[in-house]
């Protein structure tokens, strides 16, 4: 009796271009071996790159499947997409939500139900919950524009811990600084997000490991990010 194995992503790539498949395989082996990051963090960094760069085809499916094999649920990925939406833009994150819903339907996965947000997290009026933004960050935003600071307050409130698979502070920091790398916003926001990762327990070497991993999504962007990161970390 013969069995037919499901083709892997590299098999599919090899059918399109065998040399390119070799390049992708060697790259994946090199960065996946980075020891400082968990499989969950690597999945989050991959999916964030896919969403930021509007790459929701074969690579996105491969990253989600690799995450599922490592114990990352689609509910975790949904939580990630909710979190990155205010950095990458709601229109971009919407495409990611649509794609993960399609994959869940294809794979027969029912995501865990996320609890609705409390009204005080959605409010911008007197009944709103206090802003979770650090005071220096909020002061800086107010200097730029008070309405923009209010927008940040709203976004930050909505992203306080909730729902299944909530991201840790370390994960939020690593994901946020990766968005900066993809969009090359390597000044104030990058410094703030590196600080968030550090507050969440990431060591300087852990942050560097994240940037090593992110290099696969654009080496030129990573080059510029290294210059900024080395200045921040000294």
């Amino acid at each position: 009796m013969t069995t037919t194995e499901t083709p892997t992503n590299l098999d599919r790539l090899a059918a399109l271009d065998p040399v390119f498949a070799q390049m992708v395989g060697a790259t994946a082996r090199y960065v996946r071996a980075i020891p400082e990051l968990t499989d969950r963090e690597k999945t989050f960094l991959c999916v964030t790159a896919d969403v930021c760069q509007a790459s929701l085809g074969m690579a996105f499916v491969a990253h989600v499947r690799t995450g599922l094999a490592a114990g990352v649920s689609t509910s975790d990925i949904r939580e990630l997409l909710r979190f990155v939406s205010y950095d990458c833009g709601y229109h971009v994150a919407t495409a990611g939500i649509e794609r993960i819903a399609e994959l869940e339907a294809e794979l027969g996965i029912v995501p865990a139900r996320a609890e609705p947000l409390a009204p005080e997290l959605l409010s911008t009026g007197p009944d709103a919950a206090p802003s979770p933004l650090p005071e220096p960050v909020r002061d800086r935003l107010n200097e730029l524009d008070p309405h923009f600071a209010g927008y940040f307050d709203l976004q930050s409130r909505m992203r306080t811990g909730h729902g299944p698979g909530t991201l840790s502070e370390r994960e939020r920091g690593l994901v946020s600084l990766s968005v900066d790398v993809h969009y090359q916003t390597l000044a104030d926001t990058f410094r703030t997000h590196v600080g968030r990762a550090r507050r969440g327990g990431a060591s300087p070497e852990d942050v560097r490991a994240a940037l090593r991993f992110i290099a696969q999504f654009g080496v030129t962007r990573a080059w510029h990010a290294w210059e900024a990161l080395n200045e921040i970390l000294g």
Side-chain angles (χ1 to χ4, degrees):
M1 180 178 178
T2 60
T3 58
T4 303
E5 294 185 359
T6 302
T8 66
N9 189 56
L10 282 180
D11 292 333
R12 297 184 184 94
L13 280 178
L16 299 173
D17 189 302
V19 175
F20 182 68
Q22 288 182 305
M23 295 165 65
V24 170
T27 299
R29 287 191 297 272
Y30 187 74
V31 297
R32 280 280 168 184
I34 293 171
E36 294 87 354
L37 303 176
T38 67
D39 287 339
R40 176 179 159 100
E41 288 167 346
K42 291 172 182 176
T43 295
F44 286 166
L45 291 174
C46 285
V47 172
T48 298
D50 292 331
V51 172
C52 287
Q53 299 185 23
S55 174
L56 299 178
M58 187 183 295
F60 180 79
V61 174
H63 294 152
V64 171
R65 286 182 176 275
T66 299
L68 291 173
V72 181
S73 69
T74 59
S75 296
D76 295 330
I77 294 173
R78 282 174 174 269
E79 184 67 22
L80 169 71
L81 294 173
R82 296 183 195 113
F83 175 70
V84 301
S85 59
Y86 80 136
D87 276 330
C88 69
Y90 278 94
H91 64 306
V92 176
T94 296
I97 290 288
E98 289 177 332
R99 192 69 184 98
I100 198 67
E102 290 173 356
L103 282 176
E104 287 168 339
E106 291 172 15
L107 299 173
I109 295 173
V110 178
R113 180 180 180 273
E115 292 298 322
L117 296 176
E120 61 268 22
L121 299 179
L122 300 169
S123 175
T124 57
D127 296 329
S131 172
L133 282 172
E135 201 60 36
V137 175
R138 198 165 189 279
D139 290 344
R140 176 69 176 128
L141 291 170
N142 266 311
E143 290 175 5
L144 296 174
D145 180 74
H147 186 278
F148 187 55
Y151 179 79
F152 255 79
D153 281 340
L154 172 63
Q155 300 305 312
S156 299
R157 281 194 298 270
M158 291 193 295
R159 282 156 183 78
T160 54
H162 66 85
T166 301
L167 278 66
S168 69
E169 185 72 4
R170 169 184 160 119
E171 290 167 345
R172 290 174 183 236
L174 296 178
V175 164
S176 294
L177 70 87
S178 77
V179 175
D180 289 319
V181 176
H182 299 307
Y183 293 148
Q184 291 292 279
T185 49
L186 301 175
D188 288 351
T189 58
F190 188 56
R191 184 178 296 275
T192 297
H193 294 150
V194 170
R196 172 186 280 167
R198 300 281 284 114
R199 288 194 305 274
S203 69
E205 195 60 22
D206 294 335
V207 176
R208 291 187 177 99
L211 186 48
R212 292 174 188 136
F213 188 81
I214 295 166
Q216 65 182 298
F217 304 112
V219 70
T220 306
R221 285 188 288 267
W223 186 323
H224 289 298
W226 273 116
E227 294 174 336
L229 183 62
N230 284 341
E231 182 177 338
I232 292 169
L233 296 178

